[in-house]
Amino acid sequence: MYRVGFGDFFLVTLLSAGGKPLHIVVDCGVFKGTSQTGDIGSIEAAVADMVQTTAGQVALIIMTHRHADHIAGFARCADAFKKLTVGGVWMPIWESEYEPTALKFQAELTRTALGLRQHLTALGARASEEQNTARKYMENATGELDAAGAVAKGSNAVALDLLKHAFPGATPHYYKGGDVAQLPPALAAAGLSSQILGPPPVTDLDLMKLMDLQKNVGQYLAGDGGEDPVFFEPFGTEWEVDPASAPKTGQSEFYAPESFREWVRNPRKPWESVTKEEARQARGRMEGALQQLQPIAALTAAKELDSFLNNQSLAVLFTFKGKKLLFVGDAQAGNWEHWLFDTDTPDKTAGGTMGPVARQILTSLNFYKVGHHGSGNATPKAAAEMMGTQGHKFAAMCSTQAGVYGTENPDDPTKGTEVPRGPLLEKLASESALVRSDQIAITVAGKQIPAKAPAALPAPPPGSRFTPGSLWVDCYL
């Protein structure tokens, strides 16, 4: 596990029968986050180390989903990746160029995220805290823009293009839960096997927590696509009339002063009329209330998009020489529920009966890549509890950076929103040997980056060991 800040970059190495090392890269990204402190400036050095460690030979690259904190490194270090010899590339079904539904949704998602981001950026100093937070969510969805901020795609598109087209002979495979993955021959010959657990099929939109991007999110943009810095008007001009005027030709109704009675400061008695001046002031108060709600609406829209992308995560279980390793990207509830409970119907309580396959997987893990950087909206409670039912100790790694997202609530830990989420990591640490990337100091170009959450490495599970390096922590199984 490379320490890159708030992002994922994992290098898995296994030995073939002849002793030759074979390498798998799982994600390569980092993001500043809402605090703007998530990028610690180490990802370029980490990529350089990966290239040296692998001698430029990578059997498989897995991209779990298209958030910057998982793919920014592919764009920033594109020249280094283009020098690799790559045996295969795996991506979630949502990146498939042969799935019309996936193509449509990804195009809508990108267009909407860029529009929302540009709209909020244009507000400048007028932007509220909620709007600034929403903009940062969208930066993760689109990646970095160029200096002019006018790129139509963002750096995430650069990363996706590299993964899909830059490796000769490594045509990407796009998978969903239940698919039988095609392992590169060298990995298959070495005895590695894989099981694709998520994401759900593209038809299971309820599980993805979003039905129609333009209906549920696009409505928060300005009518011209979001570039106009003025506030979004809640109603079109065709619906605006003077409360005191008679209907115009072609209009079937108009708003009389009485329409704003609920917004009059000192409500009239039922038999007392609302004056034109009172109606004018009441209408102003109503419109002001609508404007105040827009920042919250924008943040809601951004979170919807964020969740949709996270739930696209490719979730993979590897088995090698009896050892089981689970990588889940940033999968949230819908992705997990699909394979935990064998369901196509979302259930917020996650209270179903866990399927036998899921039970067997969770009770026999040797390694778990903690989902979504230790966020409370990943690693469902049912999964965390099942992992510890057999008293089976396993290794867990959480690539994260404290203080990047959310806040801790010391008075009521159940209401905190911090990432990584304290109670979740405490639960996992009670059942596993848990290492978080920000607990170790690293050295970049001769300069030490101190640990954000300093702690000694835990005692490893029997037969395993942890070894810190200059940029990483190794877990040997």
Side-chain angles (χ1 to χ4, degrees), residues 126-385:
R126 292 181 296 147
S128 68
E129 181 179 353
E130 292 88 353
Q131 287 168 322
N132 277 323
T133 298
R135 174 177 55 80
K136 292 164 187 173
Y137 271 109
M138 293 303 90
E139 289 173 355
N140 198 20
T142 63
E144 298 171 348
L145 302 181
D146 69 358
V151 172
K153 294 183 177 180
S155 63
N156 284 4
V158 175
L160 292 169
D161 183 69
L162 178 137
L163 290 164
K164 291 182 178 184
H165 305 117
F167 306 120
T171 302
H173 292 277
Y174 307 102
Y175 294 123
K176 63 182 182 296
D179 285 347
V180 177
Q182 182 177 330
L183 280 164
L187 293 175
L192 182 71
S193 64
S194 64
Q195 187 174 351
I196 307 297
L197 303 175
V202 294
T203 52
D204 286 347
L205 295 180
D206 284 348
L207 281 170
M208 305 302 287
K209 308 298 184 186
L210 204 59
M211 291 298 294
D212 185 323
L213 285 171
Q214 292 304 309
K215 178 179 178 182
N216 291 287
V217 177
Q219 62 191 358
Y220 302 118
L221 303 180
D224 62 357
E227 296 180 3
D228 189 342
V230 300
F231 281 102
F232 169 60
E233 296 295 337
F235 305 107
T237 55
E238 68 272 21
W239 296 99
E240 294 183 359
V241 296
D242 185 338
S245 67
K248 298 177 181 178
T249 303
Q251 286 183 328
S252 59
E253 59 181 315
F254 69 100
Y255 299 117
E258 293 296 318
S259 301
F260 302 95
R261 177 177 288 273
E262 290 83 357
W263 292 89
V264 174
R265 280 229 167 104
N266 297 304
R268 309 294 82 173
K269 300 293 185 181
W271 57 86
E272 294 179 331
S273 298
V274 174
T275 67
K276 293 180 182 180
E277 177 58 23
E278 287 173 329
R280 185 188 67 78
Q281 294 179 9
R283 177 175 176 162
R285 282 190 286 275
M286 182 192 74
E287 290 177 341
L290 286 171
Q291 295 290 2
Q292 289 177 1
L293 287 173
Q294 286 189 63
I296 298 173
L299 182 56
T300 299
K303 287 182 175 180
E304 289 274 12
L305 282 168
D306 190 67
S307 295
F308 186 76
L309 276 176
N310 286 335
N311 265 335
Q312 291 181 8
S313 290
L314 191 63
V316 183
L317 177 73
F318 283 120
T319 302
F320 184 69
K321 294 185 178 180
K323 306 289 186 179
K324 297 184 181 297
L325 300 84
L326 178 61
F327 291 85
V328 296
D330 282 358
Q332 293 184 196
N335 191 317
W336 280 90
E337 285 185 19
H338 186 256
W339 66 273
L340 285 181
F341 304 111
D342 297 325
T343 182
D344 293 326
T345 304
D347 175 11
K348 290 184 178 180
T349 65
T353 300
M354 191 175 293
V357 173
R359 293 173 63 93
Q360 194 279 329
I361 290 172
L362 295 177
T363 56
S364 61
L365 287 179
N366 298 97
F367 176 88
Y368 172 50
K369 197 292 295 188
V370 178
H372 201 192
H373 318 287
S375 171
N377 60 12
T379 314
K381 185 177 180 180
E385 291 179 344

